[in-house]
Amino acid sequence: MTGIRTGKEWVIVLVIMVLVSIVALAAIQLSGTVGIEERFGHALGISGDATGKTEDPGFLGFSLEGQPLMFLGIIAMLGIVCYMTYRHFRI
Amino acid sequence: MAHIHLEDGSFTLFWVVIWWAVALVVIGAALFWVRSAKKTDSRVITLAAFCTAAAFAIFQVSIPLFGGVHLNLTPLIGILVGPVIGTFIVLIVNILSAAIGHGGWGLIGANIVINVIEVVVAYSLFRSLKKIFPSAFARGMIATLGGLFCGNLAMIAIILVSGVQGVTQSASQILFGLTLIAGINMGVAIIEAVITGMIVTYIIRMRPDMLESERQ
């Protein structure tokens, strides 16, 4: 089988993107703009508190899940592992 | 991305054990596969380290879109390192996430099953669609959307089959609510698809030897 010509390839991708966007926008209209935990709470008929989350304003709307110090510690550890792996294998 | 955003105690002990058992079988199969292979490519090991760090970091960030969403890069993991090593990355990211308080320990088994499905489907689509979609960017996007769609279906199925303790909704109401969550997740999947497409294209341009599917 030969590849789809570049133009047709992107038409297919675009059509899929548009369809997915329509579905997503419809879902947002129906559920409202609430956080993922609240959305789960609404879907299951449990209160927001039952999902165990508290509101964190974060920075410019971006916020971290879980404990920030633990997050930074694990990121540092993973960074060291990445550096060591990169140096060791010399890829 | 698909991820069951519920705390410990949401599933009964029976279902916690069942999903952990399923996850352990999948991890065991991956371990067997790795041990039976002659040697794991050092490039894949290095990529796996970077994928683990990136997936863990991005998964903890709540993005202010549609009220707050997450990315988790599971399709990118599948495309870059394959389903076997991808299974181990998914395990590590889920355990580390639970360790910092993002998600319950009891739900790790179910979430591993969902994430492994995303990894496997994205990997399979990216490889199998090469002749139909020669562009790595387009193929990466399609593979990501396909993987995340299947992950969302798995999430809905797991919750419906397991049931959640303390719910007041009927099964049809829960299905409707979860379908809305899946719909919104697919909106986020478009962003993840673009990011995945860009990263895959960049790696193929700079280091085509890093991707097994592009080495021929």
Side-chain angles (χ1 to χ4, degrees):
Chain A
M1 186 193 295
T2 55
I4 298 172
R5 285 205 316 255
T6 310
K8 283 186 182 175
E9 183 182 20
W10 285 106
V11 168
I12 294 170
V13 172
L14 198 66
V15 168
I16 293 172
M17 292 293 168
V18 169
L19 289 176
V20 171
S21 301
I22 290 169
V23 171
L25 288 172
I28 291 162
Q29 281 294 317
L30 287 169
S31 68
T33 49
V34 292
I36 188 73
E37 288 81 18
E38 290 83 6
R39 207 168 277 132
F40 261 96
H42 292 165
L44 300 171
I46 52 181
S47 67
D49 289 345
T51 59
K53 299 292 173 186
T54 53
E55 284 296 318
D56 174 16
F59 176 71
L60 295 173
F62 291 87
S63 59
L64 271 181
E65 299 277 354
Q67 302 166 15
L69 271 180
M70 284 280 283
F71 172 78
L72 289 175
I74 291 172
I75 283 293
M77 183 192 74
L78 289 172
I80 291 167
V81 170
C82 286
Y83 177 76
M84 288 171 67
T85 316
Y86 184 74
R87 294 283 298 191
H88 178 75
F89 291 115
R90 295 194 180 99
I91 62 163
Chain B
M1 48 74 60
H3 190 257
I4 300 175
H5 266 269
L6 295 169
E7 294 299 304
D8 280 328
S10 300
F11 285 1
T12 60
L13 184 60
F14 174 77
W15 284 108
V16 168
V17 172
I18 290 287
W19 295 122
W20 260 107
V22 173
L24 288 175
V25 167
V26 173
I27 293 160
L31 270 174
F32 179 76
W33 199 300
V34 166
R35 283 179 70 90
S36 60
K38 290 173 197 161
K39 193 181 174 211
T40 307
D41 192 334
S42 59
R43 289 170 293 196
V44 174
I45 296 171
T46 311
L47 266 179
F50 281 87
C51 282
T52 307
F56 171 76
I58 205 156
F59 183 47
Q60 315 312 325
V61 179
S62 177
I63 298 165
L65 195 67
F66 313 142
V69 294
H70 301 283
L71 306 178
N72 68 353
L73 302 184
T74 41
L76 180 66
I77 291 168
I79 292 167
L80 293 184
V81 300
V84 176
I85 302 294
T87 298
F88 301 127
I89 296 176
V90 159
L91 169 71
I92 293 167
V93 170
N94 273 289
I95 287 176
L96 292 179
S97 300
I100 69 164
H102 185 189
W105 288 95
L107 291 167
I108 290 177
N111 281 325
I112 286 173
V113 173
I114 293 167
N115 293 156
V116 167
I117 288 170
E118 293 172 341
V119 167
V120 171
V121 172
Y123 167 82
S124 307
L125 286 176
F126 189 78
R127 284 184 75 100
S128 61
L129 294 177
K130 191 173 181 180
K131 287 182 178 172
I132 303 171
F133 293 96
S135 158
F137 189 87
R139 197 160 19 112
M141 288 177 79
I142 297 289
T144 302
L145 287 173
L148 294 176
F149 178 72
C150 293
N152 276 291
L153 290 183
M155 177 197 73
I156 293 172
I158 285 174
I159 293 177
L160 284 177
V161 167
S162 311
V164 176
Q165 299 193 91
V167 299
T168 55
Q169 312 269 55
S170 66
S172 59
Q173 286 173 317
I174 292 173
L175 177 62
F176 178 71
L178 292 175
T179 306
L180 289 183
I181 292 175
I184 294 166
N185 281 348
M186 288 312 294
V188 182
I190 293 177
I191 300 167
E192 192 156 340
V194 172
I195 292 171
T196 303
M198 288 169 73
I199 294 173
V200 169
T201 306
Y202 180 77
I203 291 175
I204 289 174
R205 275 194 194 148
M206 303 309 287
R207 291 287 303 272
D209 59 306
M210 294 293 282
L211 260 77
E212 190 193 337
S213 61
E214 309 297 316
R215 274 180 212 152
Q216 295 88 337

Coordinates of all heavy atoms in Angstrom, one line a residue, chain B residues 128-167:
Chain B
S128 N 1.9 0.7 12.8 CA 1.1 0.1 11.7 C 0.7 1.2 10.7 O 0.3 0.8 9.6 CB -0.1 -0.6 12.3 OG -0.9 0.3 13.0
L129 N 0.6 2.4 11.1 CA 0.1 3.4 10.1 C 1.2 4.1 9.3 O 0.9 5.1 8.6 CB -0.7 4.5 10.9 CG -2.0 4.1 11.6 CD1 -2.6 5.2 12.3 CD2 -3.0 3.5 10.5
K130 N 2.4 3.6 9.4 CA 3.5 4.2 8.7 C 3.3 4.4 7.2 O 3.7 5.4 6.7 CB 4.8 3.4 9.0 CG 6.1 4.2 8.6 CD 7.3 3.5 9.0 CE 8.5 4.3 8.6 NZ 9.8 3.6 9.1
K131 N 2.7 3.4 6.6 CA 2.5 3.4 5.2 C 1.4 4.3 4.8 O 1.4 4.9 3.7 CB 2.3 2.0 4.6 CG 3.6 1.2 4.6 CD 3.4 -0.2 4.0 CE 4.8 -0.9 4.0 NZ 4.6 -2.3 3.6
I132 N 0.4 4.4 5.7 CA -0.8 5.2 5.4 C -0.5 6.7 5.7 O -0.9 7.6 4.9 CB -2.0 4.7 6.2 CG1 -2.3 3.3 5.9 CG2 -3.2 5.6 5.8 CD1 -3.3 2.6 6.7
F133 N 0.2 6.9 6.8 CA 0.5 8.3 7.2 C 2.1 8.4 7.2 O 2.7 8.2 8.3 CB 0.0 8.7 8.6 CG -1.5 8.7 8.6 CD1 -2.3 7.7 9.0 CD2 -2.2 9.9 8.2 CE1 -3.7 7.7 9.0 CE2 -3.6 10.0 8.3 CZ -4.3 8.9 8.7
P134 N 2.7 8.7 6.1 CA 4.2 8.8 6.2 C 4.7 9.9 7.1 O 5.8 9.8 7.6 CB 4.5 9.1 4.7 CG 3.3 8.8 3.9 CD 2.1 9.0 4.8
S135 N 3.9 11.0 7.3 CA 4.4 12.1 8.1 C 4.4 11.6 9.6 O 3.4 11.2 10.1 CB 3.5 13.3 8.0 OG 3.6 14.1 9.1
A136 N 5.5 11.7 10.2 CA 5.6 11.3 11.7 C 4.7 12.2 12.5 O 4.2 11.7 13.5 CB 7.1 11.4 12.1
F137 N 4.6 13.4 12.2 CA 3.8 14.4 13.0 C 2.3 13.9 13.0 O 1.7 13.7 14.0 CB 3.9 15.8 12.4 CG 3.3 16.8 13.3 CD1 4.0 17.4 14.4 CD2 2.0 17.2 13.1 CE1 3.4 18.3 15.2 CE2 1.4 18.2 14.0 CZ 2.1 18.7 15.0
A138 N 1.8 13.7 11.8 CA 0.4 13.2 11.6 C 0.2 11.9 12.3 O -0.8 11.6 13.0 CB 0.0 13.2 10.1
R139 N 1.2 11.0 12.1 CA 1.0 9.6 12.6 C 1.1 9.7 14.2 O 0.4 9.0 14.9 CB 2.2 8.8 12.1 CG 2.0 7.3 12.2 CD 2.8 6.5 11.3 NE 4.0 7.2 10.7 CZ 5.2 6.9 11.0 NH1 5.5 6.0 11.8 NH2 6.2 7.6 10.4
G140 N 2.0 10.5 14.7 CA 2.0 10.7 16.1 C 0.7 11.2 16.7 O 0.3 10.8 17.8
M141 N 0.1 12.2 16.0 CA -1.2 12.7 16.5 C -2.3 11.7 16.5 O -3.0 11.5 17.4 CB -1.6 13.9 15.6 CG -0.7 15.1 15.8 SD -1.2 16.5 14.7 CE -2.6 17.1 15.5
I142 N -2.3 10.9 15.4 CA -3.4 9.9 15.2 C -3.2 8.8 16.3 O -4.1 8.3 17.0 CB -3.4 9.2 13.8 CG1 -3.7 10.3 12.8 CG2 -4.3 8.0 13.7 CD1 -5.1 10.8 12.7
A143 N -1.9 8.4 16.5 CA -1.6 7.4 17.5 C -2.0 7.8 18.9 O -2.5 7.1 19.7 CB -0.1 7.0 17.4
T144 N -1.7 9.1 19.2 CA -2.0 9.6 20.5 C -3.5 9.7 20.7 O -4.0 9.2 21.8 CB -1.4 11.1 20.6 OG1 0.0 11.0 20.4 CG2 -1.7 11.7 22.0
L145 N -4.2 10.2 19.7 CA -5.7 10.2 19.9 C -6.3 8.8 20.1 O -7.2 8.6 20.9 CB -6.3 10.9 18.7 CG -6.1 12.4 18.6 CD1 -6.6 13.0 17.3 CD2 -6.8 13.1 19.8
G146 N -5.8 7.9 19.3 CA -6.3 6.5 19.4 C -6.0 5.9 20.7 O -6.8 5.3 21.3
G147 N -4.7 6.1 21.2 CA -4.3 5.6 22.5 C -5.2 6.1 23.6 O -5.7 5.4 24.5
L148 N -5.3 7.5 23.6 CA -6.1 8.1 24.7 C -7.6 7.8 24.6 O -8.3 7.7 25.7 CB -5.9 9.6 24.7 CG -4.4 10.0 25.0 CD1 -4.2 11.5 24.8 CD2 -4.0 9.6 26.4
F149 N -8.1 7.6 23.4 CA -9.5 7.2 23.3 C -9.7 5.8 23.9 O -10.7 5.6 24.7 CB -9.9 7.2 21.8 CG -11.3 6.7 21.5 CD1 -12.4 7.5 21.9 CD2 -11.6 5.4 21.0 CE1 -13.7 7.1 21.6 CE2 -12.9 5.0 20.8 CZ -13.9 5.8 21.1
C150 N -8.8 4.9 23.6 CA -8.9 3.5 24.2 C -8.7 3.6 25.7 O -9.4 2.9 26.5 CB -7.9 2.6 23.6 SG -8.3 2.2 21.8
G151 N -7.8 4.5 26.2 CA -7.6 4.6 27.6 C -8.9 5.1 28.3 O -9.2 4.6 29.4
N152 N -9.6 6.0 27.7 CA -10.8 6.5 28.2 C -11.9 5.5 28.3 O -12.7 5.4 29.3 CB -11.3 7.8 27.5 CG -10.7 9.0 27.9 OD1 -10.9 9.5 29.0 ND2 -9.8 9.6 27.1
L153 N -12.0 4.7 27.2 CA -13.0 3.6 27.2 C -12.6 2.6 28.4 O -13.6 2.1 29.1 CB -12.9 2.8 25.9 CG -13.4 3.5 24.7 CD1 -13.4 2.6 23.4 CD2 -14.9 4.0 24.9
A154 N -11.4 2.3 28.6 CA -10.9 1.4 29.7 C -11.3 2.0 31.0 O -11.8 1.3 31.9 CB -9.4 1.2 29.6
M155 N -11.1 3.3 31.2 CA -11.4 4.0 32.4 C -12.9 3.8 32.7 O -13.3 3.5 33.9 CB -11.1 5.5 32.4 CG -11.4 6.3 33.6 SD -11.5 8.0 33.3 CE -13.0 8.2 32.3
I156 N -13.8 4.1 31.7 CA -15.2 4.0 31.9 C -15.6 2.5 32.3 O -16.3 2.3 33.2 CB -16.0 4.4 30.7 CG1 -15.8 5.9 30.4 CG2 -17.5 4.1 30.8 CD1 -16.3 6.4 29.1
A157 N -15.0 1.6 31.6 CA -15.3 0.2 31.8 C -14.9 -0.3 33.2 O -15.7 -0.9 33.9 CB -14.6 -0.7 30.7
I158 N -13.7 0.1 33.6 CA -13.2 -0.3 34.9 C -14.1 0.3 36.0 O -14.4 -0.4 37.0 CB -11.7 0.2 35.1 CG1 -10.8 -0.7 34.3 CG2 -11.3 0.2 36.6 CD1 -9.4 -0.3 34.2
I159 N -14.5 1.6 35.9 CA -15.3 2.2 37.0 C -16.7 1.5 37.0 O -17.3 1.2 38.1 CB -15.5 3.7 36.8 CG1 -14.1 4.3 37.0 CG2 -16.5 4.3 37.7 CD1 -14.1 5.8 36.8
L160 N -17.3 1.3 35.8 CA -18.6 0.6 35.8 C -18.6 -0.8 36.3 O -19.5 -1.2 37.0 CB -19.2 0.7 34.3 CG -19.7 2.0 33.8 CD1 -20.1 1.9 32.4 CD2 -20.8 2.6 34.7
V161 N -17.5 -1.5 35.9 CA -17.5 -2.9 36.4 C -17.2 -3.0 37.9 O -17.8 -3.8 38.6 CB -16.3 -3.6 35.6 CG1 -16.0 -5.0 36.3 CG2 -16.7 -3.9 34.2
S162 N -16.3 -2.1 38.4 CA -15.9 -2.2 39.8 C -17.0 -1.6 40.7 O -17.2 -2.0 41.8 CB -14.6 -1.4 40.0 OG -13.6 -1.8 39.1
G163 N -17.6 -0.5 40.2 CA -18.6 0.2 41.1 C -17.8 1.1 42.1 O -16.6 0.8 42.3
V164 N -18.4 2.1 42.5 CA -17.7 3.0 43.5 C -18.5 3.1 44.7 O -19.8 3.3 44.7 CB -17.5 4.5 42.9 CG1 -16.9 5.4 43.9 CG2 -16.6 4.4 41.6
Q165 N -17.9 2.9 45.9 CA -18.6 2.9 47.2 C -19.1 4.3 47.5 O -18.4 5.3 47.3 CB -17.6 2.5 48.3 CG -17.1 1.1 48.1 CD -16.4 0.6 49.3 OE1 -17.0 -0.1 50.1 NE2 -15.1 0.9 49.4
G166 N -20.4 4.3 47.9 CA -21.0 5.6 48.4 C -21.6 6.4 47.3 O -21.9 7.6 47.5
V167 N -21.7 5.9 46.1 CA -22.3 6.7 45.0 C -23.8 6.7 45.1 O -24.4 5.8 45.7 CB -22.0 6.1 43.6 CG1 -20.5 6.2 43.4 CG2 -22.5 4.7 43.4

